[in-house]
Amino acid sequence: MSSQVRLRLLPSARCLFDQPVQVKVEGLRSRQVVTMRARSTDEKGVVFSSSATYRADGSGKIDLLRDPSLSGSYVGVEPMGLLWSMKADALHKYFFKDNALQPHVVKFSVHEEGREDRMLAEVTNERLLIGNGVSRVPVKGRNFQGVLFTPPGDGPFPAVLDLSTFASEKRASLLSNKGFVVLAVPVYSDHPDNVKQTNLDHFKEAVDFLQQQPKVGSKGVGIISRSKGADIALSLAAFVPGIEAVVWINGCSSIVGVPVYYKNRQILSTLPFDFNKVIRTESGASIIRYGLEDAVTEKNKGSLVPIEQAKGHFLFIASGDDLNCDSKAYMDEMAERLKHHGKENFETVCYPEAGHLLEPPYGPYCPSALHGLIRFPVLWGGEPRAHAAAEVHMWKKMQDFLRTHLKCDAA
């Protein structure tokens, strides 16, 4: 390494996962061209990396807030591009970062142009999922299991149920850092093949548990959900009292997978999926967007969640390039239905060039991966730069929405 070259991350090399950093290089030769790299290993041991070519200014400095990448994993001015453009060497890999206790560790480095073996400087970025003072408590109820995140201080804090398709703590822990009591509960705690029905009572038990927490001050509970979790969130809003705010991200307006039961009776059937409409691509991943049948036909109306009877507010977020399902069409259908019933309790946001997997910002963009329910690789959609920008906007939008509709009584 060169003793003159310095690589710095500002304001600090240690930050929260959802915080941007300013990447700066000093001590290069005037107008020197170098390769910047980022590298990280996920919880399954898969290595993800990115690289971009930059030219120093006249004083031998590079600032990713100001300077464009000339080539590589992305081009143009992208201050966090080295993070969101990281990908694995193998196809169809998703970056698994679900355990809140372990930081997302990224190694940034500067190399002589075209010479990976000639490193000039490096620095390690520790991106924490859980902030100072936030408590993490695994919870096992009678019919649910999850992880409870509680901010430091006396509160009162708004309460949020984070419904993920499979167990993940990332979104819940990051939201708790912002002043929410968050209970992360997976839709599937067993292998999906073993699940024959969804019991809404189990999720109501989680809602009740959340409302009983001593630091919770909101009148009701908010829900964050994406994909399969989104239709369960709609069902809770429609049938269970006390749901004040629902964030629905790239889901369906009907029930997908298995029927929903509540109080020992079936309340919603499932929307059929036609595997003949799956489109295979040369990459080995498939497009499943067109597989679900039309939700509003007479024969499928039993699967449509009656959100018009919900008392709470909705934030519907859809990606225009979602290749998992036509989430924009489902969002539009729900907005029209609520309007038809004289309701104004909803907002809609569409990101035209984003894909299905909208997550907290600055993680690696995932174009395709093994689908957890149908067990073959699928394309998620999205243009990487636009998708990354959508995640930044969505993350703030969600928090503002939840704060607005989950008011807390003064302590």
Side-chain angles (χ1 to χ4, degrees), residues 13-43:
R14 201 163 187 263
C15 63
L16 290 172
F17 182 97
D18 58 347
Q19 287 180 330
V21 287
Q22 184 178 8
V23 184
K24 297 183 88 167
V25 186
E26 298 170 352
L28 297 168
R29 297 188 304 276
S30 176
R31 311 290 176 195
Q32 183 177 353
V33 176
V34 295
T35 302
M36 305 275 298
R37 297 184 179 276
R39 182 183 173 95
S40 185
T41 304
D42 78 355
E43 289 169 357

Side-chain angles (χ1 to χ4, degrees), residues 17-18 128-129 170-178 360 395:
F17 182 97
D18 58 347
L128 310 176
L129 273 76
K170 177 168 63 179
R171 190 170 57 191
S173 59
L174 290 170
L175 191 62
S176 191
N177 298 334
K178 311 295 184 187
W395 188 232

Side-chain angles (χ1 to χ4, degrees), residues 20 83 93 138 150 175 224 237 256 259 279 350 377 387 405:
L83 284 177
K93 294 294 182 185
T150 308
L175 191 62
I224 297 181
V256 177
I279 301 169
C350 178
H387 187 94
H405 297 292

Side-chain angles (χ1 to χ4, degrees), residues 118-374:
R118 292 279 295 160
M119 187 191 294
L120 303 175
E122 70 175 334
V123 65
T124 299
N125 185 199
E126 275 193 62
R127 307 186 63 77
L128 310 176
L129 273 76
I130 191 164
N132 287 338
V134 174
S135 76
R136 174 194 177 274
V137 179
V139 173
K140 191 157 178 55
R142 201 158 64 94
N143 293 298
F144 79 92
Q145 57 190 42
V147 181
L148 181 69
F149 294 92
T150 308
D154 297 331
F157 301 112
V160 175
L161 178 67
D162 184 320
L163 283 179
S164 55
T165 307
F166 300 100
S168 175
E169 301 176 14
K170 177 168 63 179
R171 190 170 57 191
S173 59
L174 290 170
L175 191 62
S176 191
N177 298 334
K178 311 295 184 187
F180 295 86
V181 175
V182 189
L183 177 62
V185 174
V187 173
Y188 293 101
S189 49
D190 193 2
H191 192 283
D193 290 350
N194 300 331
V195 177
K196 304 305 178 194
Q197 65 185 54
T198 298
N199 293 300
L200 213 54
D201 314 72
H202 298 178
F203 297 99
K204 181 185 184 301
E205 186 189 331
V207 169
D208 293 343
F209 171 84
L210 196 46
Q211 287 185 299
Q212 290 159 9
Q213 296 310 300
K215 288 189 181 184
V216 166
S218 52
K219 179 166 68 92
V221 166
I223 304 176
I224 297 181
S225 59
R226 187 190 69 210
S227 203
K228 174 56 194 166
D231 63 60
I232 303 303
L234 296 179
S235 305
L236 285 165
F239 292 100
V240 172
I243 308 301
E244 292 293 316
V246 171
V247 179
W248 174 101
I249 307 165
N250 288 339
C252 188
S253 53
S254 288
I255 297 301
V256 177
V258 294
V260 174
Y261 282 69
Y262 187 45
K263 297 180 178 176
N264 295 317
R265 70 180 185 88
Q266 182 178 314
I267 55 170
L268 293 163
S269 57
T270 59
L271 188 62
F273 187 90
D274 184 354
F275 280 92
N276 291 318
K277 292 185 177 174
V278 171
I279 301 169
R280 312 282 174 189
T281 70
E282 287 182 5
S283 73
S286 298
I287 297 171
I288 62 170
R289 173 185 173 109
Y290 309 103
L292 285 169
E293 290 188 9
D294 189 346
V296 295
T297 58
E298 187 65 27
K299 80 182 184 81
N300 290 329
K301 69 178 185 182
S303 68
L304 204 61
V305 184
I307 54 168
E308 59 274 11
Q309 65 192 37
K311 300 287 193 291
H313 289 77
F314 294 99
L315 172 59
F316 299 123
I317 298 172
S319 293
D321 194 38
D322 184 348
L323 296 183
N324 180 75
C325 60
D326 194 350
S327 50
K328 170 72 164 56
Y330 295 128
M331 177 176 80
D332 291 344
E333 184 279 315
M334 290 189 290
E336 281 304 312
R337 185 153 37 110
L338 288 171
K339 277 188 210 165
H340 179 74
H341 284 85
K343 299 271 193 164
E344 297 179 347
N345 60 337
F346 66 94
E347 298 174 53
T348 62
V349 179
C350 178
Y351 299 111
E353 294 181 274
H356 182 69
L357 290 183
L358 286 175
E359 302 205 309
Y362 310 129
Y365 160 73
C366 179
S368 62
L370 185 70
H371 195 291
L373 297 179
I374 54 180

